[in-house]
Amino acid sequence: MAGAGAGSVPSPFQMPSVPLPSQSPSPLPSLSVARAPQLRVQVNVPAAHRHASLSLPVLREQTDLIIFKQADVPTVFNKLRTFITEEKVPAGPGHDQLGALEKGLADLSSKGGLGSLPIPPTLPGLVSHLMASLPTPKQFPVMDILRLVLLTEEGNAMYAQGGPSRDLARYIFAGNSPDPSKRAVQLLTLRAACNLFAWGTGRHHVLQQRAEGDILGAIIDAVVAGLHTNDRITRKVVASLCFDVALLLSSSQADMSDERLQLISALVNLKDVPGDRDEEVDLRHLQALATLMLGNDDMVLLATTLDIEAMLAMYSTSSSSRVALLAKEVTSLVA
């Protein structure tokens, strides 16, 4: 993990094994990706494993997590104040600190969005109060502010553990709905979930909390449900979150077999999902699937049992040369 202006510090999830042969960066389409040392998560493969000798030019050994930094901070805060006034929402804990938070986030956004910023300890209570007081169609500015707070080292650590973590898990569960009135807040909640992985401290705490109703379980459930959505924008965000989770699980030294199994099952079943193909989404799905199987024979066997060949056959005939190439590389993992 590295703070703003600091040098790179090794990720807590790196495993003491021999990495894959160095590859040039894959030609992926432009996304809301931030490239900074704290977003680098190492996934290594033991030298004796057959995957270590494969030539995988599209898959990169060291890949950046996908986060969402773009922001118009004044507009978001002004929209929230408008909704608070319209709904006559009473002042909640820390309401008088919104101005200072706006100024701090705006300043941080102008410097790239990632960094250190003191976050008032009353913020989780205020967020909870506003989410409970505002009608669903007017909750999205609250979640957009939380998305930006999670890009700060302090806010990230705050929401990755304890009560705030359970609050965020609840917001993610609540957003997992086909209700059209929840679309805006759902999108921003999924982007906030991506940003939860922006700092090593947050990633560490997320992996340590693996109980029913925890934040990791909520995120995986949201990904599994979101993979089958017909909404094009939601599918893009879900694909990014799916990739982040796959990278997090695969780089952990802990046994994350159950969680990996859940994601692999959902990804392989995408062969049964109708609809138009999207290059960006297809690339992320294949990257996530490859990452989950890389160097892990149990996951390869699972994918094979679930008929991954049918899914890869679908992608290998893609009109996108990048998707077709990546599908062939994933095929080499299970051959």
Side-chain angles (χ1 to χ4, degrees), residues 168-215:
L168 183 54
R170 190 172 68 252
Y171 304 146
I172 294 171
F173 275 125
N176 189 13
S177 167
D179 184 350
S181 70
K182 294 186 176 182
R183 181 177 181 271
V185 71
Q186 178 193 38
L187 282 171
L188 291 166
T189 303
L190 292 169
R191 288 172 179 164
C194 287
N195 289 359
L196 185 62
F197 301 143
W199 293 89
T201 301
R203 296 193 292 268
H204 173 76
H205 286 302
V206 167
L207 287 174
Q208 294 303 307
Q209 302 172 75
R210 296 169 60 199
E212 185 176 352
D214 68 342
I215 185 66

mmCIF file of all heavy atoms in Angstrom, residues 168-215:
data_model
loop_
_atom_site.group_PDB
_atom_site.id
_atom_site.type_symbol
_atom_site.label_atom_id
_atom_site.label_comp_id
_atom_site.label_asym_id
_atom_site.label_seq_id
_atom_site.Cartn_x
_atom_site.Cartn_y
_atom_site.Cartn_z
ATOM 1 N N LEU A 168 -22.238 -0.738 4.867
ATOM 2 C CA LEU A 168 -21.991 -0.802 3.432
ATOM 3 C C LEU A 168 -22.513 -2.109 2.852
ATOM 4 O O LEU A 168 -23.090 -2.128 1.756
ATOM 5 C CB LEU A 168 -20.497 -0.649 3.146
ATOM 6 C CG LEU A 168 -20.071 -0.624 1.679
ATOM 7 C CD1 LEU A 168 -20.840 0.449 0.897
ATOM 8 C CD2 LEU A 168 -18.566 -0.381 1.559
ATOM 9 N N ALA A 169 -22.332 -3.206 3.596
ATOM 10 C CA ALA A 169 -22.874 -4.493 3.144
ATOM 11 C C ALA A 169 -24.387 -4.408 2.993
ATOM 12 O O ALA A 169 -24.963 -4.922 2.032
ATOM 13 C CB ALA A 169 -22.500 -5.598 4.128
ATOM 14 N N ARG A 170 -25.025 -3.723 3.914
ATOM 15 C CA ARG A 170 -26.483 -3.572 3.859
ATOM 16 C C ARG A 170 -26.905 -2.742 2.643
ATOM 17 O O ARG A 170 -27.893 -3.064 1.975
ATOM 18 C CB ARG A 170 -26.979 -2.908 5.153
ATOM 19 C CG ARG A 170 -28.499 -2.909 5.307
ATOM 20 C CD ARG A 170 -28.937 -2.431 6.676
ATOM 21 N NE ARG A 170 -28.667 -1.015 6.881
ATOM 22 C CZ ARG A 170 -27.724 -0.544 7.684
ATOM 23 N NH1 ARG A 170 -26.933 -1.376 8.336
ATOM 24 N NH2 ARG A 170 -27.548 0.759 7.828
ATOM 25 N N TYR A 171 -26.156 -1.689 2.338
ATOM 26 C CA TYR A 171 -26.473 -0.866 1.172
ATOM 27 C C TYR A 171 -26.332 -1.690 -0.115
ATOM 28 O O TYR A 171 -27.131 -1.554 -1.043
ATOM 29 C CB TYR A 171 -25.553 0.360 1.091
ATOM 30 C CG TYR A 171 -25.553 1.229 2.321
ATOM 31 C CD1 TYR A 171 -24.385 1.892 2.728
ATOM 32 C CD2 TYR A 171 -26.696 1.394 3.093
ATOM 33 C CE1 TYR A 171 -24.372 2.699 3.857
ATOM 34 C CE2 TYR A 171 -26.687 2.191 4.236
ATOM 35 C CZ TYR A 171 -25.518 2.831 4.611
ATOM 36 O OH TYR A 171 -25.496 3.617 5.740
ATOM 37 N N ILE A 172 -25.297 -2.532 -0.163
ATOM 38 C CA ILE A 172 -25.077 -3.363 -1.349
ATOM 39 C C ILE A 172 -26.202 -4.378 -1.501
ATOM 40 O O ILE A 172 -26.733 -4.588 -2.592
ATOM 41 C CB ILE A 172 -23.708 -4.068 -1.266
ATOM 42 C CG1 ILE A 172 -22.588 -3.021 -1.337
ATOM 43 C CG2 ILE A 172 -23.545 -5.078 -2.399
ATOM 44 C CD1 ILE A 172 -21.211 -3.579 -1.045
ATOM 45 N N PHE A 173 -26.590 -5.019 -0.400
ATOM 46 C CA PHE A 173 -27.710 -5.967 -0.437
ATOM 47 C C PHE A 173 -28.987 -5.268 -0.906
ATOM 48 O O PHE A 173 -29.730 -5.787 -1.740
ATOM 49 C CB PHE A 173 -27.949 -6.576 0.948
ATOM 50 C CG PHE A 173 -27.087 -7.767 1.266
ATOM 51 C CD1 PHE A 173 -26.298 -7.785 2.404
ATOM 52 C CD2 PHE A 173 -27.066 -8.881 0.431
ATOM 53 C CE1 PHE A 173 -25.506 -8.879 2.705
ATOM 54 C CE2 PHE A 173 -26.272 -9.978 0.727
ATOM 55 C CZ PHE A 173 -25.492 -9.978 1.863
ATOM 56 N N ALA A 174 -29.242 -4.066 -0.372
ATOM 57 C CA ALA A 174 -30.465 -3.338 -0.719
ATOM 58 C C ALA A 174 -30.479 -2.929 -2.183
ATOM 59 O O ALA A 174 -31.538 -2.876 -2.819
ATOM 60 C CB ALA A 174 -30.598 -2.105 0.164
ATOM 61 N N GLY A 175 -29.306 -2.650 -2.741
ATOM 62 C CA GLY A 175 -29.238 -2.226 -4.135
ATOM 63 C C GLY A 175 -29.378 -3.361 -5.121
ATOM 64 O O GLY A 175 -29.559 -3.138 -6.316
ATOM 65 N N ASN A 176 -29.301 -4.589 -4.626
ATOM 66 C CA ASN A 176 -29.385 -5.771 -5.482
ATOM 67 C C ASN A 176 -30.850 -6.066 -5.796
ATOM 68 O O ASN A 176 -31.454 -6.978 -5.248
ATOM 69 C CB ASN A 176 -28.723 -6.953 -4.776
ATOM 70 C CG ASN A 176 -28.580 -8.161 -5.663
ATOM 71 O OD1 ASN A 176 -28.754 -8.075 -6.873
ATOM 72 N ND2 ASN A 176 -28.274 -9.294 -5.061
ATOM 73 N N SER A 177 -31.418 -5.250 -6.681
ATOM 74 C CA SER A 177 -32.855 -5.322 -6.958
ATOM 75 C C SER A 177 -33.137 -4.881 -8.389
ATOM 76 O O SER A 177 -32.469 -3.985 -8.911
ATOM 77 C CB SER A 177 -33.614 -4.419 -5.981
ATOM 78 O OG SER A 177 -34.949 -4.234 -6.391
ATOM 79 N N PRO A 178 -34.130 -5.485 -9.038
ATOM 80 C CA PRO A 178 -34.502 -5.063 -10.398
ATOM 81 C C PRO A 178 -35.372 -3.813 -10.415
ATOM 82 O O PRO A 178 -35.759 -3.337 -11.482
ATOM 83 C CB PRO A 178 -35.275 -6.279 -10.926
ATOM 84 C CG PRO A 178 -35.877 -6.904 -9.707
ATOM 85 C CD PRO A 178 -34.886 -6.681 -8.603
ATOM 86 N N ASP A 179 -35.687 -3.272 -9.256
ATOM 87 C CA ASP A 179 -36.536 -2.086 -9.154
ATOM 88 C C ASP A 179 -35.883 -0.910 -9.895
ATOM 89 O O ASP A 179 -34.790 -0.480 -9.522
ATOM 90 C CB ASP A 179 -36.733 -1.739 -7.671
ATOM 91 C CG ASP A 179 -37.694 -0.576 -7.465
ATOM 92 O OD1 ASP A 179 -38.067 0.102 -8.462
ATOM 93 O OD2 ASP A 179 -38.078 -0.321 -6.314
ATOM 94 N N PRO A 180 -36.526 -0.373 -10.940
ATOM 95 C CA PRO A 180 -35.924 0.730 -11.710
ATOM 96 C C PRO A 180 -35.617 1.959 -10.862
ATOM 97 O O PRO A 180 -34.686 2.705 -11.174
ATOM 98 C CB PRO A 180 -36.997 1.050 -12.760
ATOM 99 C CG PRO A 180 -37.822 -0.191 -12.865
ATOM 100 C CD PRO A 180 -37.826 -0.791 -11.488
ATOM 101 N N SER A 181 -36.371 2.186 -9.787
ATOM 102 C CA SER A 181 -36.136 3.366 -8.953
ATOM 103 C C SER A 181 -34.809 3.275 -8.206
ATOM 104 O O SER A 181 -34.307 4.277 -7.695
ATOM 105 C CB SER A 181 -37.276 3.537 -7.946
ATOM 106 O OG SER A 181 -37.251 2.527 -6.950
ATOM 107 N N LYS A 182 -34.230 2.074 -8.156
ATOM 108 C CA LYS A 182 -32.972 1.880 -7.436
ATOM 109 C C LYS A 182 -31.754 1.909 -8.360
ATOM 110 O O LYS A 182 -30.624 1.747 -7.895
ATOM 111 C CB LYS A 182 -32.995 0.546 -6.679
ATOM 112 C CG LYS A 182 -34.015 0.489 -5.551
ATOM 113 C CD LYS A 182 -33.883 -0.812 -4.760
ATOM 114 C CE LYS A 182 -34.829 -0.823 -3.566
ATOM 115 N NZ LYS A 182 -34.668 -2.053 -2.757
ATOM 116 N N ARG A 183 -31.977 2.114 -9.651
ATOM 117 C CA ARG A 183 -30.885 1.977 -10.611
ATOM 118 C C ARG A 183 -29.725 2.923 -10.316
ATOM 119 O O ARG A 183 -28.559 2.512 -10.291
ATOM 120 C CB ARG A 183 -31.383 2.202 -12.031
ATOM 121 C CG ARG A 183 -30.287 2.048 -13.090
ATOM 122 C CD ARG A 183 -30.856 2.204 -14.489
ATOM 123 N NE ARG A 183 -29.824 2.041 -15.513
ATOM 124 C CZ ARG A 183 -29.082 3.043 -15.987
ATOM 125 N NH1 ARG A 183 -29.257 4.269 -15.525
ATOM 126 N NH2 ARG A 183 -28.170 2.816 -16.919
ATOM 127 N N ALA A 184 -30.010 4.210 -10.098
ATOM 128 C CA ALA A 184 -28.942 5.188 -9.891
ATOM 129 C C ALA A 184 -28.139 4.872 -8.639
ATOM 130 O O ALA A 184 -26.896 4.851 -8.667
ATOM 131 C CB ALA A 184 -29.521 6.595 -9.806
ATOM 132 N N VAL A 185 -28.823 4.601 -7.538
ATOM 133 C CA VAL A 185 -28.102 4.311 -6.302
ATOM 134 C C VAL A 185 -27.393 2.962 -6.391
ATOM 135 O O VAL A 185 -26.310 2.769 -5.826
ATOM 136 C CB VAL A 185 -29.055 4.366 -5.081
ATOM 137 C CG1 VAL A 185 -30.020 3.202 -5.060
ATOM 138 C CG2 VAL A 185 -28.265 4.402 -3.776
ATOM 139 N N GLN A 186 -27.966 2.017 -7.159
ATOM 140 C CA GLN A 186 -27.318 0.720 -7.339
ATOM 141 C C GLN A 186 -25.991 0.877 -8.070
ATOM 142 O O GLN A 186 -24.971 0.304 -7.667
ATOM 143 C CB GLN A 186 -28.226 -0.226 -8.123
ATOM 144 C CG GLN A 186 -27.602 -1.598 -8.391
ATOM 145 C CD GLN A 186 -28.371 -2.401 -9.417
ATOM 146 O OE1 GLN A 186 -28.871 -1.854 -10.397
ATOM 147 N NE2 GLN A 186 -28.475 -3.695 -9.195
ATOM 148 N N LEU A 187 -25.982 1.649 -9.139
ATOM 149 C CA LEU A 187 -24.754 1.859 -9.904
ATOM 150 C C LEU A 187 -23.658 2.470 -9.032
ATOM 151 O O LEU A 187 -22.501 2.045 -9.061
ATOM 152 C CB LEU A 187 -25.029 2.769 -11.101
ATOM 153 C CG LEU A 187 -25.702 2.136 -12.313
ATOM 154 C CD1 LEU A 187 -26.099 3.209 -13.312
ATOM 155 C CD2 LEU A 187 -24.759 1.129 -12.971
ATOM 156 N N LEU A 188 -24.026 3.475 -8.246
ATOM 157 C CA LEU A 188 -23.036 4.147 -7.416
ATOM 158 C C LEU A 188 -22.587 3.269 -6.256
ATOM 159 O O LEU A 188 -21.432 3.355 -5.822
ATOM 160 C CB LEU A 188 -23.602 5.480 -6.915
ATOM 161 C CG LEU A 188 -23.758 6.513 -8.033
ATOM 162 C CD1 LEU A 188 -24.616 7.680 -7.600
ATOM 163 C CD2 LEU A 188 -22.386 7.005 -8.485
ATOM 164 N N THR A 189 -23.475 2.404 -5.772
ATOM 165 C CA THR A 189 -23.090 1.470 -4.715
ATOM 166 C C THR A 189 -22.077 0.463 -5.246
ATOM 167 O O THR A 189 -21.100 0.128 -4.568
ATOM 168 C CB THR A 189 -24.320 0.730 -4.165
ATOM 169 O OG1 THR A 189 -25.273 1.688 -3.684
ATOM 170 C CG2 THR A 189 -23.938 -0.192 -3.017
ATOM 171 N N LEU A 190 -22.281 -0.018 -6.468
ATOM 172 C CA LEU A 190 -21.337 -0.952 -7.075
ATOM 173 C C LEU A 190 -19.981 -0.278 -7.321
ATOM 174 O O LEU A 190 -18.923 -0.891 -7.116
ATOM 175 C CB LEU A 190 -21.905 -1.485 -8.396
ATOM 176 C CG LEU A 190 -23.128 -2.399 -8.278
ATOM 177 C CD1 LEU A 190 -23.748 -2.641 -9.654
ATOM 178 C CD2 LEU A 190 -22.765 -3.723 -7.620
ATOM 179 N N ARG A 191 -20.003 0.978 -7.734
ATOM 180 C CA ARG A 191 -18.751 1.706 -7.916
ATOM 181 C C ARG A 191 -18.058 1.938 -6.577
ATOM 182 O O ARG A 191 -16.823 1.876 -6.483
ATOM 183 C CB ARG A 191 -19.021 3.034 -8.617
ATOM 184 C CG ARG A 191 -19.390 2.863 -10.088
ATOM 185 C CD ARG A 191 -19.846 4.150 -10.727
ATOM 186 N NE ARG A 191 -20.168 3.952 -12.138
ATOM 187 C CZ ARG A 191 -20.866 4.788 -12.875
ATOM 188 N NH1 ARG A 191 -21.324 5.911 -12.339
ATOM 189 N NH2 ARG A 191 -21.116 4.521 -14.139
ATOM 190 N N ALA A 192 -18.856 2.193 -5.544
ATOM 191 C CA ALA A 192 -18.280 2.340 -4.201
ATOM 192 C C ALA A 192 -17.615 1.035 -3.762
ATOM 193 O O ALA A 192 -16.547 1.046 -3.139
ATOM 194 C CB ALA A 192 -19.367 2.750 -3.208
ATOM 195 N N ALA A 193 -18.240 -0.087 -4.105
ATOM 196 C CA ALA A 193 -17.662 -1.382 -3.749
ATOM 197 C C ALA A 193 -16.306 -1.570 -4.424
ATOM 198 O O ALA A 193 -15.364 -2.095 -3.811
ATOM 199 C CB ALA A 193 -18.618 -2.513 -4.135
ATOM 200 N N CYS A 194 -16.180 -1.144 -5.672
ATOM 201 C CA CYS A 194 -14.877 -1.196 -6.347
ATOM 202 C C CYS A 194 -13.848 -0.356 -5.589
ATOM 203 O O CYS A 194 -12.696 -0.769 -5.387
ATOM 204 C CB CYS A 194 -14.992 -0.684 -7.782
ATOM 205 S SG CYS A 194 -15.823 -1.800 -8.938
ATOM 206 N N ASN A 195 -14.262 0.821 -5.158
ATOM 207 C CA ASN A 195 -13.338 1.730 -4.479
ATOM 208 C C ASN A 195 -12.928 1.231 -3.100
ATOM 209 O O ASN A 195 -11.922 1.688 -2.549
ATOM 210 C CB ASN A 195 -13.954 3.126 -4.375
ATOM 211 C CG ASN A 195 -14.017 3.831 -5.708
ATOM 212 O OD1 ASN A 195 -13.592 3.290 -6.731
ATOM 213 N ND2 ASN A 195 -14.560 5.031 -5.726
ATOM 214 N N LEU A 196 -13.700 0.318 -2.544
ATOM 215 C CA LEU A 196 -13.333 -0.264 -1.253
ATOM 216 C C LEU A 196 -12.007 -1.010 -1.353
ATOM 217 O O LEU A 196 -11.305 -1.194 -0.364
ATOM 218 C CB LEU A 196 -14.439 -1.218 -0.776
ATOM 219 C CG LEU A 196 -14.281 -1.834 0.619
ATOM 220 C CD1 LEU A 196 -14.273 -0.758 1.697
ATOM 221 C CD2 LEU A 196 -15.403 -2.825 0.892
ATOM 222 N N PHE A 197 -11.630 -1.422 -2.572
ATOM 223 C CA PHE A 197 -10.384 -2.164 -2.780
ATOM 224 C C PHE A 197 -9.208 -1.249 -3.139
ATOM 225 O O PHE A 197 -8.137 -1.731 -3.504
ATOM 226 C CB PHE A 197 -10.569 -3.194 -3.892
ATOM 227 C CG PHE A 197 -11.664 -4.196 -3.619
ATOM 228 C CD1 PHE A 197 -12.471 -4.641 -4.649
ATOM 229 C CD2 PHE A 197 -11.887 -4.678 -2.348
ATOM 230 C CE1 PHE A 197 -13.479 -5.571 -4.411
ATOM 231 C CE2 PHE A 197 -12.889 -5.601 -2.087
ATOM 232 C CZ PHE A 197 -13.684 -6.048 -3.128
ATOM 233 N N ALA A 198 -9.402 0.068 -3.038
ATOM 234 C CA ALA A 198 -8.376 1.008 -3.478
ATOM 235 C C ALA A 198 -7.140 1.028 -2.586
ATOM 236 O O ALA A 198 -6.065 1.446 -3.016
ATOM 237 C CB ALA A 198 -8.959 2.420 -3.569
ATOM 238 N N TRP A 199 -7.290 0.573 -1.351
ATOM 239 C CA TRP A 199 -6.172 0.611 -0.408
ATOM 240 C C TRP A 199 -5.937 -0.766 0.198
ATOM 241 O O TRP A 199 -6.874 -1.511 0.459
ATOM 242 C CB TRP A 199 -6.442 1.619 0.707
ATOM 243 C CG TRP A 199 -6.481 3.030 0.212
ATOM 244 C CD1 TRP A 199 -7.561 3.713 -0.258
ATOM 245 C CD2 TRP A 199 -5.376 3.933 0.135
ATOM 246 N NE1 TRP A 199 -7.212 4.982 -0.637
ATOM 247 C CE2 TRP A 199 -5.869 5.155 -0.398
ATOM 248 C CE3 TRP A 199 -4.024 3.844 0.462
ATOM 249 C CZ2 TRP A 199 -5.051 6.254 -0.606
ATOM 250 C CZ3 TRP A 199 -3.206 4.950 0.257
ATOM 251 C CH2 TRP A 199 -3.719 6.147 -0.275
ATOM 252 N N GLY A 200 -4.678 -1.090 0.446
ATOM 253 C CA GLY A 200 -4.322 -2.391 1.001
ATOM 254 C C GLY A 200 -4.959 -2.662 2.349
ATOM 255 O O GLY A 200 -5.352 -3.791 2.644
ATOM 256 N N THR A 201 -5.087 -1.632 3.178
ATOM 257 C CA THR A 201 -5.708 -1.812 4.485
ATOM 258 C C THR A 201 -7.153 -2.268 4.331
ATOM 259 O O THR A 201 -7.601 -3.187 5.013
ATOM 260 C CB THR A 201 -5.669 -0.497 5.287
ATOM 261 O OG1 THR A 201 -4.307 -0.085 5.442
ATOM 262 C CG2 THR A 201 -6.298 -0.684 6.660
ATOM 263 N N GLY A 202 -7.878 -1.635 3.429
ATOM 264 C CA GLY A 202 -9.263 -2.021 3.197
ATOM 265 C C GLY A 202 -9.366 -3.439 2.677
ATOM 266 O O GLY A 202 -10.210 -4.220 3.113
ATOM 267 N N ARG A 203 -8.498 -3.799 1.728
ATOM 268 C CA ARG A 203 -8.529 -5.155 1.175
ATOM 269 C C ARG A 203 -8.257 -6.188 2.267
ATOM 270 O O ARG A 203 -8.897 -7.249 2.307
ATOM 271 C CB ARG A 203 -7.491 -5.274 0.047
ATOM 272 C CG ARG A 203 -7.780 -4.382 -1.145
ATOM 273 C CD ARG A 203 -6.940 -4.749 -2.347
ATOM 274 N NE ARG A 203 -5.530 -4.480 -2.193
ATOM 275 C CZ ARG A 203 -4.922 -3.344 -2.548
ATOM 276 N NH1 ARG A 203 -5.636 -2.339 -3.047
ATOM 277 N NH2 ARG A 203 -3.617 -3.204 -2.433
ATOM 278 N N HIS A 204 -7.315 -5.882 3.134
ATOM 279 C CA HIS A 204 -6.980 -6.806 4.218
ATOM 280 C C HIS A 204 -8.186 -7.048 5.126
ATOM 281 O O HIS A 204 -8.520 -8.188 5.454
ATOM 282 C CB HIS A 204 -5.812 -6.243 5.030
ATOM 283 C CG HIS A 204 -5.495 -7.035 6.255
ATOM 284 N ND1 HIS A 204 -4.830 -8.246 6.206
ATOM 285 C CD2 HIS A 204 -5.769 -6.806 7.572
ATOM 286 C CE1 HIS A 204 -4.692 -8.719 7.433
ATOM 287 N NE2 HIS A 204 -5.253 -7.867 8.272
ATOM 288 N N HIS A 205 -8.849 -5.972 5.526
ATOM 289 C CA HIS A 205 -9.996 -6.118 6.427
ATOM 290 C C HIS A 205 -11.152 -6.844 5.752
ATOM 291 O O HIS A 205 -11.866 -7.636 6.389
ATOM 292 C CB HIS A 205 -10.453 -4.745 6.937
ATOM 293 C CG HIS A 205 -9.546 -4.148 7.962
ATOM 294 N ND1 HIS A 205 -9.246 -4.781 9.154
ATOM 295 C CD2 HIS A 205 -8.868 -2.974 7.988
ATOM 296 C CE1 HIS A 205 -8.427 -4.030 9.863
ATOM 297 N NE2 HIS A 205 -8.178 -2.918 9.177
ATOM 298 N N VAL A 206 -11.363 -6.582 4.471
ATOM 299 C CA VAL A 206 -12.445 -7.259 3.751
ATOM 300 C C VAL A 206 -12.228 -8.773 3.764
ATOM 301 O O VAL A 206 -13.155 -9.556 3.982
ATOM 302 C CB VAL A 206 -12.541 -6.742 2.297
ATOM 303 C CG1 VAL A 206 -13.425 -7.648 1.453
ATOM 304 C CG2 VAL A 206 -13.098 -5.319 2.282
ATOM 305 N N LEU A 207 -10.988 -9.200 3.540
ATOM 306 C CA LEU A 207 -10.692 -10.631 3.518
ATOM 307 C C LEU A 207 -10.771 -11.266 4.903
ATOM 308 O O LEU A 207 -11.020 -12.468 5.023
ATOM 309 C CB LEU A 207 -9.292 -10.862 2.938
ATOM 310 C CG LEU A 207 -9.165 -10.659 1.430
ATOM 311 C CD1 LEU A 207 -7.708 -10.761 1.006
ATOM 312 C CD2 LEU A 207 -10.005 -11.672 0.662
ATOM 313 N N GLN A 208 -10.585 -10.457 5.939
ATOM 314 C CA GLN A 208 -10.629 -11.002 7.298
ATOM 315 C C GLN A 208 -12.055 -11.227 7.787
ATOM 316 O O GLN A 208 -12.278 -11.955 8.758
ATOM 317 C CB GLN A 208 -9.917 -10.043 8.263
ATOM 318 C CG GLN A 208 -8.426 -9.902 8.022
ATOM 319 C CD GLN A 208 -7.690 -11.214 8.087
ATOM 320 O OE1 GLN A 208 -7.801 -11.951 9.060
ATOM 321 N NE2 GLN A 208 -6.944 -11.528 7.046
ATOM 322 N N GLN A 209 -13.024 -10.612 7.131
ATOM 323 C CA GLN A 209 -14.416 -10.690 7.591
ATOM 324 C C GLN A 209 -15.212 -11.556 6.628
ATOM 325 O O GLN A 209 -15.776 -11.083 5.665
ATOM 326 C CB GLN A 209 -15.028 -9.292 7.668
ATOM 327 C CG GLN A 209 -14.252 -8.354 8.584
ATOM 328 C CD GLN A 209 -14.747 -6.933 8.495
ATOM 329 O OE1 GLN A 209 -15.801 -6.610 9.029
ATOM 330 N NE2 GLN A 209 -13.998 -6.081 7.816
ATOM 331 N N ARG A 210 -15.261 -12.834 6.936
ATOM 332 C CA ARG A 210 -15.916 -13.785 6.031
ATOM 333 C C ARG A 210 -17.023 -14.519 6.768
ATOM 334 O O ARG A 210 -17.037 -15.732 6.871
ATOM 335 C CB ARG A 210 -14.895 -14.765 5.473
ATOM 336 C CG ARG A 210 -13.837 -14.126 4.615
ATOM 337 C CD ARG A 210 -12.718 -15.081 4.314
ATOM 338 N NE ARG A 210 -13.191 -16.269 3.605
ATOM 339 C CZ ARG A 210 -12.507 -17.411 3.538
ATOM 340 N NH1 ARG A 210 -11.352 -17.520 4.160
ATOM 341 N NH2 ARG A 210 -12.995 -18.436 2.862
ATOM 342 N N ALA A 211 -17.935 -13.769 7.313
ATOM 343 C CA ALA A 211 -19.083 -14.352 8.010
ATOM 344 C C ALA A 211 -20.348 -14.011 7.242
ATOM 345 O O ALA A 211 -20.346 -13.191 6.332
ATOM 346 C CB ALA A 211 -19.170 -13.815 9.444
ATOM 347 N N GLU A 212 -21.444 -14.658 7.597
ATOM 348 C CA GLU A 212 -22.715 -14.409 6.910
ATOM 349 C C GLU A 212 -23.106 -12.941 7.058
ATOM 350 O O GLU A 212 -23.090 -12.381 8.148
ATOM 351 C CB GLU A 212 -23.801 -15.299 7.512
ATOM 352 C CG GLU A 212 -25.131 -15.197 6.776
ATOM 353 C CD GLU A 212 -26.162 -16.166 7.335
ATOM 354 O OE1 GLU A 212 -25.793 -17.004 8.169
ATOM 355 O OE2 GLU A 212 -27.329 -16.062 6.919
ATOM 356 N N GLY A 213 -23.428 -12.322 5.948
ATOM 357 C CA GLY A 213 -23.813 -10.920 5.965
ATOM 358 C C GLY A 213 -22.640 -9.964 5.930
ATOM 359 O O GLY A 213 -22.822 -8.765 6.110
ATOM 360 N N ASP A 214 -21.413 -10.470 5.706
ATOM 361 C CA ASP A 214 -20.251 -9.595 5.685
ATOM 362 C C ASP A 214 -20.148 -8.858 4.363
ATOM 363 O O ASP A 214 -20.884 -9.122 3.421
ATOM 364 C CB ASP A 214 -18.975 -10.394 5.972
ATOM 365 C CG ASP A 214 -18.635 -11.374 4.850
ATOM 366 O OD1 ASP A 214 -19.530 -11.682 4.028
ATOM 367 O OD2 ASP A 214 -17.491 -11.827 4.797
ATOM 368 N N ILE A 215 -19.179 -7.940 4.305
ATOM 369 C CA ILE A 215 -19.051 -7.096 3.135
ATOM 370 C C ILE A 215 -18.617 -7.892 1.910
ATOM 371 O O ILE A 215 -19.118 -7.674 0.805
ATOM 372 C CB ILE A 215 -18.071 -5.924 3.428
ATOM 373 C CG1 ILE A 215 -18.009 -4.949 2.251
ATOM 374 C CG2 ILE A 215 -16.690 -6.441 3.774
ATOM 375 C CD1 ILE A 215 -19.293 -4.209 1.996
#
